[in-house]
Amino acid sequence: MDSEQQTVPMTTPVPAPVLRTHPAAWLWLSLAVIALDQATKFLSSRFLELHERVEVLPVLDFTLLHNTGAAFSLLAGASGWQRWFFIGLAFAVSLMLLVWIWRTPRGEKLLPLALALILGGALGNVIDRIVHGYVVDFIHVHWGAAYFPAFNIADSAITVGAGLLILDAFRERR
């Protein structure tokens, strides 16, 4: 047989099935946020005295603070009921976030990432409220004499997660 006469059967390649991870796989990130948050709070509590200021950079100090309130010390001066209110609220929000993560369609990345960061941050702070009765804050950013309220890794995760959630909402509109 002549090589020009030989034909090779052409088959259309069948694409391999795309295996998409379930969004609940992002919960490892929540656990990592909780672990990092609790480790840094432990270290700051271990090596800093309350209200002690250690300059890290010209715009960043480590200052150990105890926040009995919410963001920006909201309700910090209340009589103690706020502790249980914030614990209950954090558990309710965490449950909602877990359900939302679980129901997110496979293949989504930005939404479960955002939700996992918020979940890890919420649980990191609620652990403090349960164990100590307050949230340990130690990151203190300032510009000259103007100080931003102190925060922690959990607060950072919540903030980044909220930003990604807003970004995802804008992305969905397009």
Side-chain angles (χ1 to χ4, degrees):
M1 213 184 203
D2 193 339
S3 65
E4 289 179 42
Q5 293 176 347
Q6 291 180 348
T7 59
V8 177
M10 296 297 276
T11 60
T12 51
V14 176
V18 177
L19 300 175
R20 298 188 189 262
T21 306
H22 193 281
W26 286 93
L27 293 177
W28 67 266
L29 180 58
S30 297
L31 293 174
V33 166
I34 293 167
L36 182 62
D37 176 63
Q38 290 299 304
T40 55
K41 288 173 178 176
F42 171 78
L43 290 172
S44 65
S45 295
R46 174 80 169 84
F47 293 108
L48 295 173
E49 294 294 325
L50 189 61
H51 304 290
E52 178 185 0
R53 177 181 166 262
V54 175
E55 184 176 329
V56 179
L57 296 170
V59 295
L60 174 68
D61 299 337
F62 286 160
T63 307
L64 181 63
L65 299 170
H66 297 163
N67 183 359
T68 57
F72 307 110
S73 296
L74 178 70
L75 296 176
S79 62
W81 63 267
Q82 75 276 20
R83 174 185 183 188
W84 304 108
F85 172 75
F86 291 135
I87 288 171
L89 181 63
F91 276 125
V93 168
S94 296
L95 182 60
M96 181 201 70
L97 290 170
L98 275 171
V99 170
W100 194 357
I101 290 169
W102 199 264
R103 291 183 176 178
T104 301
R106 288 180 181 262
E108 286 285 326
K109 290 187 174 89
L110 191 57
L111 180 59
L113 170 65
L115 297 174
L117 286 170
I118 296 169
L119 177 63
L123 292 175
N125 280 340
V126 84
I127 289 169
D128 280 11
R129 289 189 193 286
I130 291 169
V131 172
H132 306 295
Y134 53 82
V135 173
V136 175
D137 290 327
F138 63 93
I139 303 169
H140 217 172
V141 177
H142 60 92
W143 186 261
Y147 278 79
F148 186 77
F151 58 98
N152 55 45
I153 301 298
D155 297 335
S156 300
I158 292 169
T159 303
V160 171
L164 293 174
L165 196 59
I166 292 167
L167 180 63
D168 182 67
F170 281 119
R171 194 184 68 153
E172 292 275 326
R173 283 189 150 171
R174 284 193 285 145

